[in-house]
Amino acid sequence: MPGTQGQVMGDSEIIGTLKALRSEMFDLLSQVAGKGAAAGRPSRRTMDYEAYRRTFEAYSAKIDDCYRRLAACYAQIDRVYRTNPNSPLYKPMTQAYLDAKAVFDNLKSTFNAIEPPDTLRTEAVAVADRRLNERIATSARTSSLPPAPAEAAKDIIESDDSRFIGNFDSVEMFLLVKGDMACYVMFGWKEVTTDDTGKPSEQFHLSVVRSEMFPFTPAVRALSPAQHLENALKLKIAAVDAQGEVLSNLSEFFARTKSYTRVN
């Protein structure tokens, strides 16, 4: 934008610059807020780690640039106040600044509500703890696993946040957050079978189960992977009907979630 990098602008040019900047920030606000056809709000649900980081950093850079240009216009208005306070355009340019500043403040607060990408992704645990696998396998073999609601798969994919906790034996555990509630979702389990000759073999099942919901408190957020496991073992679990395209969509969702954590 011309005239905002130290050059002296005319009074009407200041007003035009501020109005153009305000319009630009309105468009950026719509994107950051996830509104309209140009919605581009960073989403951990739909983006892998690198895409989320790039989108977040691009918005951050644009907002910083808007701030610099807004501050440059303020400096121009201050110059007019000091050199020509009787300018008939002084009040209109001041109002134009206040209008633009209000949009910027809304843009900044909306962006600040988005969780920044982790600067250091923590190591995922891979533990040979068989309890979770055995519980799911036993439930599956005995049909004692009650079915989850029909919309369970959709609820998983549309959760507000998701975290990969770790791989316990052959079970991948995720923590999902929806509002102020959370649940654990487990993906895959291993079954050891014996053939006619008595030779044991392992079969991996791509099944999805979900725990009952529980309050998502700061204490839960601070749990270690081992503590999450102990917590999950205390909860009721239910099978999620996930086959075909639904299972494919869930698998992609879990892969995106895992991309936020380095897997051993």
Side-chain angles (χ1 to χ4, degrees):
M1 182 175 296
T4 59
Q5 302 298 322
Q7 302 96 323
V8 174
M9 289 188 284
D11 295 0
S12 61
E13 188 180 2
I14 295 174
I15 296 174
T17 298
L18 283 166
K19 287 183 176 180
L21 178 57
R22 180 175 180 271
S23 177
E24 182 180 334
M25 291 189 295
F26 253 134
D27 291 341
L28 188 56
L29 174 60
S30 294
Q31 296 175 45
V32 172
K35 298 178 181 178
R41 181 181 178 87
S43 171
R44 285 173 58 103
R45 288 194 295 105
T46 60
M47 297 179 178
D48 62 24
Y49 178 84
E50 287 303 324
Y52 186 87
R53 180 187 60 78
R54 289 194 300 269
T55 302
F56 185 94
E57 291 178 353
Y59 280 140
S60 181
K62 289 180 181 178
I63 292 171
D64 287 345
D65 182 58
C66 287
Y67 177 80
R68 286 192 293 269
R69 289 151 62 189
L70 190 63
C73 286
Y74 180 85
Q76 295 281 344
I77 295 173
D78 182 63
R79 174 189 57 77
V80 173
Y81 176 76
R82 287 183 287 102
T83 60
N84 187 22
N86 296 320
S87 168
L89 294 180
Y90 177 71
K91 286 187 177 180
M93 73 176 68
T94 301
Q95 187 59 53
Y97 171 80
L98 293 175
D99 291 344
K101 180 65 163 56
V103 176
F104 175 82
D105 290 343
N106 191 2
L107 171 62
K108 185 67 173 177
S109 63
T110 300
F111 182 71
N112 285 344
I114 300 174
E115 182 179 8
D118 302 325
T119 54
L120 177 63
R121 289 173 283 169
T122 57
E123 292 287 347
V125 299
V127 181
D129 189 314
R130 301 179 182 275
R131 290 176 296 164
L132 193 57
N133 183 85
E134 290 174 353
R135 180 177 175 185
I136 296 173
T138 300
S139 298
R141 285 195 298 266
T142 61
S143 299
S144 64
L145 205 60
E151 64 276 10
K154 183 173 182 288
D155 286 346
I156 291 171
I157 294 175
E158 294 183 354
S159 58
D160 295 333
D161 194 15
S162 55
R163 302 282 176 172
F164 180 49
I165 302 302
N167 190 316
F168 299 93
D169 195 15
S170 59
V171 180
E172 295 180 348
M173 181 194 290
F174 302 84
L175 175 69
L176 271 60
V177 179
K178 189 82 170 181
D180 57 358
M181 300 295 287
C183 71
Y184 295 109
V185 172
M186 281 73 77
F187 182 48
W189 58 279
K190 179 177 62 180
E191 183 178 21
V192 179
T193 59
T194 305
D195 61 21
D196 294 338
T197 64
K199 181 180 179 181
S201 62
E202 293 184 348
Q203 295 182 356
F204 187 74
H205 300 267
L206 293 176
S207 301
V208 181
V209 298
R210 190 189 72 176
S211 79
E212 60 185 309
M213 303 293 289
F214 54 89
F216 183 58
T217 64
V220 171
R221 182 186 290 272
L223 292 178
S224 68
Q227 290 170 324
H228 278 297
L229 172 63
E230 298 300 330
N231 197 34
L233 289 169
K234 299 174 185 176
L235 301 171
K236 297 177 182 178
I237 58 174
V240 176
D241 185 13
Q243 301 176 7
E245 185 178 355
V246 174
L247 181 59
S248 177
N249 291 340
L250 284 171
S251 298
E252 291 179 9
F253 172 77
F254 294 141
R256 285 193 299 269
T257 300
K258 285 175 65 177
S259 78
Y260 289 80
T261 309
R262 290 195 300 270
V263 183
N264 293 334

